[in-house]
Amino acid sequence: MNAKQVAAYKAVEAVQAGMTVGLGTGSTAYFAIERLGALVRNGLQLQAVGSSLKTESLAREAGIPIVDFAEVRHIDLYIDGADEVDENFNLVKGGGGALVREKIVAFNSDTFIVIVDSSKQVQTLGAFPLPVEVVPFAANLTLRHLEKMGGKAALRQKEGRTFVSDNGNFIVDVQFGVIQDPVALNVAINVIPGVVESGLFPGTMVQRVLVGYDDGRVDVRVHA
Ligand code: A5P
C-alpha cells in the first residue's frame, strides 16, 4: 500500500453503520471510496454524499448508496484529501476543482478527517497556488482584485479550455508564496463580489489529519 492508501484506509476505520459519510475528491480520497465500497458490499449499511460529480459516480460504481445533496440534513463524517496542511490544521484545497462542495460538506460534518501523504505537510500554506472559485462573467475583474491582494493569479485551464467547475463556475489559481494568516485571507477573499469560495479551509473545520507514509505508517494528528 502507498502513503495515500494507508491514510485513507485508516480514516475509513472511523466509519460506523448508519452514518451519513461525506466522500472527498482526488487521488487520496479515491482510496477511501474504494475501501468503503468493499465494506458496503460486505454488508455495512450507510449512506454517502459526494463532494463532486466524479466522486458520486465513483461511489455509485463501488456500490455506495449516494443521497442527493439537496436531501442531506446532517453529515456524520467527512473524509477528504488536501493540497497543503499547516501546523494549525489549516488547509489549501481545490486542486481538483471541487472546493465549493468540499467546503460545504466540511462545514456541515460533525467530524472532518483529512487524509494526506507526508508531502502535503507544510509549516506555512502558500506554495501550492490557492484555488478560488469565481463567477464566470466577472472572472477577469475578480482576478484583478485577487492580484491586488498580493497574489499572482491565473484562470485555470484544462485541455486548452477554461476549466469549469461542477457548479458551472471558473477557478482562479492564486500564487501567494507565503500565507501568513490563512483565516484572515479566507475572509478577505470571500468578501470580494464575484468570488464564490476560496480553497482556504480554516483549521477549526478539521478534527483530525492522518498522514500516511510509504512504509505503511500513519501519523494521527488530533485537533484539540
Ligand atoms: C479536490 O478539489 C481537492 O481539494 C483535493 O482534495 C486535493 O486536491 C487533494 O487531492 P489529491 O488527494 O489528489 O492530492
Side-chain angles (χ1 to χ4, degrees), residues 77-90:
L77 172 65
Y78 177 37
I79 301 171
D80 199 359
D83 300 303
E84 287 185 330
V85 186
D86 78 6
E87 291 172 338
N88 298 312
F89 296 81
N90 300 301

Side-chain angles (χ1 to χ4, degrees), residues 2-223:
N2 64 39
K4 293 180 177 187
Q5 200 169 6
V6 288
Y9 278 32
K10 180 80 185 160
V12 170
E13 289 176 13
V15 176
Q16 291 172 12
M19 279 185 167
T20 299
V21 180
L23 302 173
T25 298
S27 58
T28 316
Y30 167 84
F31 290 113
I33 297 166
E34 181 210 43
R35 180 72 177 150
L36 207 53
L39 295 176
V40 167
R41 293 194 299 279
N42 256 335
L44 177 66
Q45 297 217 336
L46 52 78
Q47 58 178 16
V49 60
S51 61
S52 64
L53 298 177
K54 184 166 183 201
T55 287
E56 283 183 355
S57 102
L58 274 175
R60 284 199 182 96
E61 279 167 28
I64 302 170
I66 288 290
V67 281
D68 189 342
F69 217 86
E71 304 300 322
V72 171
R73 294 287 173 270
H74 171 253
I75 302 164
D76 296 287
L77 172 65
Y78 177 37
I79 301 171
D80 199 359
D83 300 303
E84 287 185 330
V85 186
D86 78 6
E87 291 172 338
N88 298 312
F89 296 81
N90 300 301
L91 314 175
V92 166
K93 283 184 57 55
L99 63 115
V100 171
R101 282 191 187 210
E102 290 176 344
K103 210 162 181 177
I104 293 169
V105 175
F107 189 78
N108 287 286
S109 296
D110 291 346
T111 303
F112 179 15
I113 302 180
V114 178
I115 48 177
V116 290
D117 62 71
S118 57
S119 70
K120 307 286 185 65
Q121 291 202 106
V122 296
Q123 217 163 23
T124 318
L125 302 178
F128 190 94
L130 178 67
V132 180
E133 184 154 329
V134 302
V135 174
F137 83 88
N140 287 331
L141 287 170
T142 311
L143 187 148
R144 281 203 197 105
H145 272 284
L146 289 164
E147 291 211 313
K148 278 187 204 154
M149 297 173 81
K152 191 173 177 316
L155 204 54
R156 186 179 296 184
Q157 306 293 311
K158 194 177 176 187
E159 288 153 11
R161 294 178 164 205
T162 302
F163 176 88
V164 179
S165 76
D166 284 354
N167 316 306
N169 296 315
F170 294 164
I171 305 277
V172 177
D173 293 299
V174 194
Q175 284 186 308
F176 282 103
V178 175
I179 297 174
Q180 294 293 2
D181 188 342
V183 175
L185 184 62
N186 179 49
V187 172
I189 290 174
N190 281 352
V191 297
I192 301 171
V195 166
V196 179
E197 191 53 75
S198 98
L200 277 172
F201 287 47
T204 47
M205 286 186 173
V206 176
Q207 277 67 51
R208 259 174 280 167
V209 174
L210 307 190
V211 186
Y213 295 86
D214 282 327
D215 64 4
R217 220 163 15 105
V218 179
D219 279 350
V220 180
R221 292 173 53 198
V222 179
H223 199 175

